[in-house]
Amino acid sequence: MEIKQLLKLALNSLNVNKLRSILTMLGIIIGVFAIILLVSIGSGLQSYITKEIAGLGSNLIFVIPGRVGGARTPGGVITNKLQISDAKNIELRLKNEANISGAIQKTSSAKYKNKSDKGVSILGASANYPIIVKTEIQSGSFFSESQERSASKVALIGQTVLNNLFTEISPLGEKVSIGNNRYTIIGVLEKKGALFGIDQDNTIIIPVTTAQRQFGVTSVNTIYISAKTSDLIPFVENKAKEILLKRLTEDDFTLQTQESTLSTITNITNILSLALGGIAAISLLVGGVGVANIMLVSVTERTREIGIRKALGAKKIDILKQFLLEAVILSLSGGTIGIIFGVVASVVLARFFVSEVTFWSIFLAFGFSTVVGVVFGIFPAIRASRLSPIEALRYE
Amino acid sequence: MKKVLICLQKIEKDYISENIKTPVLKGITLNIHDGDFIAITGPSGSGKSTLMNIIGLLDTPTRGKYVLHGKDVTGLTEDEASLIRNKEIGFVFQSFNLLKRISALDNVMLPAIYAGISEHERRKKSINLLTTLGLSNRMNNKPNQLSGGQQQKVAIARALMNNPSIILADEPTGNLDTKSGEDVMRVLKDFNQQGKTIVLITHESNIANKAKKIIHIQDGQIVQYGN
């Protein structure tokens, strides 16, 4: 039987039971829609995080205290043994290969006249910090090496601090209080936005030396190392480790390159994407069961038709094709509608949240809905093709 | 002497249900010649419908041999039987058995679709057939828009579509009023006069009398064979 005739037949019979066909399709539509949307969210999340990390700077290596995944002191608290002197040591030895900045991070509140801003993240960094970690300055300038050396009380403020403390006047040259100390504002940072709900603009950057005095600490939270070229990353990484191990043990610190961080996060988001896609695939499977169910009903209803067709010369394969094609059309058109809805929803969602339509998810959804149509259509179709013509003709 | 079209030799058919064997046909031997118009009659339960199913290759005999058009068709697979039904046998059923959702024309074209005849060809032929049967203005109607007599004529046109050697008509007038019934019988007779072999199954003697030969079946056996 020619394909044109088969198509006409299948469309005709789906058209006769319009509502039923649409409801059956709805199961597939929802499944495919969910696949496209959830995979879009997963991959949107991934590219967002990747962009954020890549945007930090280039050829970055982070040294953080404690051993990731390693032994912890009782209670899970990491004793921070990483000292500002360690950063200085590395800087001394790798001056030609990398830029290094020790960083102290504390949370404090900042005051200006009668206004105050709570929960400000205070970052103590060295003068070369903007070379290492991407830091854009909206107005004013970063502090100099001599300001760092002399532990000047100078500060750069983020956009949230600016909005909270300085509503009317320009902040440059004004004095902001952190604890008992007053800092002269020398610069305002560009807006960075929020990362995982954490406001990155509620921040003040001061020289690391000043931060040591301000908070009375000698330890650092992070040592940022930026290799001068990407070829130098392995060398710098090994050398820095060597230097640190002279004073510390392996349990005291962890070296992470930007790449290793990226690959860890990529792994996590890939698993997330798969899990989301898997959940969506289950709903498509349920849609497939709906197709099988309705096709079985259809076969029963049309038993007599099958008998007539067989009496007139239809072979088993003709009947099989007829019913299988119906199931495939149901799931394919459901799949197509689902893809359209899914893509539209993903694009709309991208305006408010992370979401990125991937082509492979469209192909996957399309392929999957075809497979669902065939797999769930084949059983009813085989059943139809095996009906005995006399029995089928007798069926009322 | 005319060519033998259907040759049944000692055809037996048993039905087995719940391990009890019920013989329905007990050795039917029968030759039907090209151009015959045979009526098979008998009371209900006599086995005439089973015989017609076997002749029409819808059912297979338990024992015996069936030669159709010179070919042994006794042990065919379902698909082989379909192929022969499509080419050699035209069915006319008591309840018409037209597909409800498609037009009269599409119904008539159905056997040609399974025979792989081109759309142009099958359309031309079915229009011809329907016109011959006086249904040229009814071709695009669905079966439920036609009277019983008209529906049976559509079924006859469908039976003739692939130019079969035999027309098997199972109680073709059973669901029709007297006038339509006579009409249908006249059509069958016309086609017989044009050379078609017709096997008619009926329990009504006045219908059977329109045939050239009458075979009476009782209790699974031929009890009377006459002209």
Side-chain angles (χ1 to χ4, degrees), chain B residues 51-63:
Chain B
L51 182 62
M52 134 125 187
N53 284 339
I54 287 173
I55 294 174
L57 290 172
L58 291 168
D59 205 350
T60 48
T62 314
R63 279 171 296 277

Side-chain angles (χ1 to χ4, degrees), chain B residues 16-59:
Chain B
I16 296 164
S17 70
E18 289 161 13
N19 286 329
I20 300 165
K21 195 169 82 174
T22 318
V24 179
L25 296 179
K26 301 168 182 167
I28 302 267
T29 297
L30 174 67
N31 282 341
I32 298 172
H33 295 86
D34 195 15
D36 270 354
F37 189 171
I38 286 188
I40 299 173
T41 65
S44 66
S46 59
K48 60 183 194 302
S49 284
T50 304
L51 182 62
M52 134 125 187
N53 284 339
I54 287 173
I55 294 174
L57 290 172
L58 291 168
D59 205 350

Side-chain angles (χ1 to χ4, degrees), chain A residues 1-2 4-5 12-13 16 302 304-305 308-316 318 387 389-390 393, chain B residues 53 58-59 78-79 82-83 85-86 91 93 95 97 99 101-102 110-111 113-114 119 122 158:
Chain A
M1 203 169 169
E2 59 229 89
K4 187 182 149 198
Q5 202 58 38
N12 186 19
S13 90
V16 168
R302 284 149 70 191
R304 206 180 170 88
E305 175 188 330
I308 295 169
R309 287 182 182 276
K310 282 200 160 184
L312 298 181
K315 292 192 213 58
K316 280 182 183 166
D318 294 319
L387 285 174
I390 328 173
L393 278 171
Chain B
N53 284 339
L58 291 168
D59 205 350
E78 212 192 293
D79 279 350
S82 280
L83 204 70
R85 278 200 297 273
N86 185 248
F91 288 96
F93 300 96
S95 50
N97 276 342
L99 297 187
R101 298 198 302 240
I102 58 176
L110 218 47
I113 289 174
Y114 292 114
E119 182 161 3
R122 63 181 186 241
R158 184 179 66 184

Side-chain angles (χ1 to χ4, degrees), chain A residues 309-315 318, chain B residues 5-6 53-60 66-91 111 114-115 159 161-168:
Chain A
R309 287 182 182 276
K310 282 200 160 184
L312 298 181
K315 292 192 213 58
D318 294 319
Chain B
L5 206 57
I6 290 171
N53 284 339
I54 287 173
I55 294 174
L57 290 172
L58 291 168
D59 205 350
T60 48
Y66 176 13
V67 177
L68 172 67
H69 225 149
K71 193 186 170 213
D72 187 351
V73 293
T74 319
L76 296 181
T77 66
E78 212 192 293
D79 279 350
E80 288 168 336
S82 280
L83 204 70
I84 296 184
R85 278 200 297 273
N86 185 248
K87 290 205 171 86
E88 303 276 2
I89 299 158
F91 288 96
Y114 292 114
M161 185 66 198
N162 284 352
N163 221 357
S165 358
I166 320 140
I167 302 256
L168 273 185

